[in-house]
Amino acid sequence: MEKERNILYFESIDSTNVQAGREAANGAVSGTLVVADRQTAGRGRRGRTWESPAGRNLYFSLLLRPELAVEKASMLTLVMALAVVHALEKLTEADLSESSAKSKSPQIKWPNDIVLSGKKVCGILTEMSVLPNRIEHVIIGVGINVYQQEFAPGLADKATSLEAEWGQKLSRERLLGAVMDAFEEYYDLFLQMGDLKMLQNIYNHKLVNLNREVRVLDPKGEFTGIATGINERGELCVKLPDGQIAEVYAGEVSVRGIPGYV
Ligand code: BTN
C-alpha cells in the first residue's frame, strides 16, 4: 500500500463515506483516511442508517485507488473485516484480562460484520466509483461500537459494543491505529495475489458461520446449507442438502444463522 498518509478528522460530519467521496473528487491521494466523532447521516448497508452518536464509537472511511478489476472491490471489505478482528485481538491481548478476552473473541459473520458473543459490534460499508473498465476509487467505511451502551429498539438484541462485552474502555485512537496497521499488512498480501488466496485460511478461522447451518437470503430464492468457508474470491461456499456446493457472492445476498442473526 502507498505509504503516503492523509488523515482528516471531523468533530461532526454527515457521513465519513460521503466526505471521503468529496475528498476523492478533489483529488485526494489513495490512503486518505476520514475520521469523525459523530455522523449526522451515517450510512449502513442496503440503504440503512448507521447510528452515530458523538463520543462513543469509531467512524472512519479509507479512500483507496487500487488498480483492480471492478468485480474484485468487494474483496476489500473482507480484507478490512480481517484487519478489524486482528486489531481487536491485538489490543485485547494487551489490555484485557485473559479470561474476559478469550471468552469473547471477535469473529466475522460473512461477509463483513464483526460479532462478539453473537451480536454485531462493527459494520463495514464499501462504496466505489468505476471507470469503464476499472475502479476509479473505493471507499471502505467502518463503524465500530466502542462505548455505546444503549441501542435503538429493534437493534438491542443484535448490536453490542466493545465496552458492553469487555467491560473496559479501549482507546479509540489506539484501536484505529491498530486497524490501519493490520489493514496495511493484509492489503499488501491481497494486492500481491490479486485475490484472497493468502488470507482465506485466516479469514475462515475467524468465520462465525463456519460449519454451521445458514439461510441464504438470495433474491432469486432462499436456501439453506452448511457454510464451509470462503473461496479465494471471498464468496461463501455453502454445502447444499444434495451435496453440491453453492458459491455465494455478497452483492445482493445476506446470510442468517439458524436460528438467529449469526
Ligand atoms: C453496515 O450496515 O453494517 C455497515 C455500516 C458502516 C458504517 C460506517 S460508519 C463510518 C462509515 N460512514 C458511513 O456513513 N458508514 C460507514
Side-chain angles (χ1 to χ4, degrees):
M1 170 179 194
E2 300 88 324
K3 299 294 178 207
E4 194 167 353
R5 289 195 170 82
N6 183 24
I7 302 177
L8 305 168
Y9 174 75
F10 297 84
E11 230 155 68
S12 180
I13 194 86
D14 47 1
S15 148
T16 55
N17 268 32
V18 173
Q19 183 60 27
R22 292 183 201 114
E23 302 293 340
N26 288 330
V29 292
S30 185
T32 294
L33 183 64
V34 178
V35 188
D37 184 48
R38 166 179 181 247
Q39 298 184 115
T40 53
R43 309 211 298 214
R45 295 175 77 207
R46 299 175 205 291
R48 297 193 193 104
T49 55
W50 186 259
E51 250 193 84
S52 308
R56 310 259 177 89
N57 302 320
L58 202 47
Y59 318 111
F60 62 92
S61 300
L62 180 65
L63 166 69
L64 295 173
R65 298 184 184 277
E67 285 177 22
L68 274 184
V70 174
E71 66 274 11
K72 296 200 170 180
S74 62
M75 297 181 205
L76 287 169
T77 319
L78 279 72
V79 176
M80 183 57 89
L82 259 190
V84 173
V85 166
H86 184 104
L88 290 174
E89 284 179 339
K90 200 154 173 238
L91 286 194
T92 53
E93 266 168 30
D95 281 14
L96 295 177
S97 74
E98 261 197 18
S99 54
S100 58
K102 285 219 174 96
S103 63
K104 295 183 173 184
S105 49
Q107 290 181 294
I108 303 171
K109 174 181 175 283
W110 182 86
N112 51 24
D113 286 354
I114 312 300
V115 297
L116 271 179
S117 308
K119 292 181 174 183
K120 179 164 166 171
V121 77
C122 165
I124 303 174
L125 174 67
T126 297
E127 300 180 290
M128 68 176 157
S129 154
V130 294
L131 294 170
N133 233 341
R134 64 178 180 85
I135 296 171
E136 200 269 321
H137 69 251
V138 177
I139 293 165
I140 311 174
V142 182
I144 306 178
N145 299 332
V146 184
Y147 309 135
Q148 188 164 349
Q149 293 284 359
E150 283 172 12
F151 294 89
L155 275 186
D157 58 334
K158 287 194 220 98
T160 190
S161 69
L162 301 178
E163 191 185 17
E165 295 305 317
W166 288 337
Q168 205 161 329
K169 283 211 183 304
L170 287 185
S171 147
R172 287 184 292 173
E173 291 79 6
R174 283 183 57 213
L175 178 54
L176 177 58
V179 174
M180 286 296 104
D181 284 349
F183 185 82
E184 276 192 11
E185 200 179 300
Y186 289 140
Y187 185 54
D188 278 346
L189 292 175
F190 168 73
L191 289 181
Q192 272 174 41
M193 304 306 291
D195 63 25
L196 297 166
K197 231 175 261 118
M198 283 165 85
L199 299 173
Q200 186 182 347
N201 285 345
I202 322 178
Y203 183 99
N204 285 335
H205 192 64
K206 305 290 174 202
L207 185 64
V208 72
N209 313 99
L210 191 68
N211 299 325
R212 290 203 191 167
E213 193 170 21
V214 290
R215 186 155 51 96
V216 179
L217 309 179
D218 188 325
K220 288 185 234 118
E222 281 185 31
F223 58 91
T224 57
I226 305 292
T228 59
I230 60 160
N231 60 21
E232 69 277 7
R233 294 181 300 281
E235 294 159 347
L236 185 68
C237 301
V238 178
K239 192 168 183 188
L240 304 175
D242 65 2
Q244 291 205 60
I245 304 285
E247 293 176 321
V248 182
Y249 179 75
E252 287 294 297
V253 172
S254 55
V255 157
R256 296 277 179 278
I258 299 178
Y261 159 70
V262 292

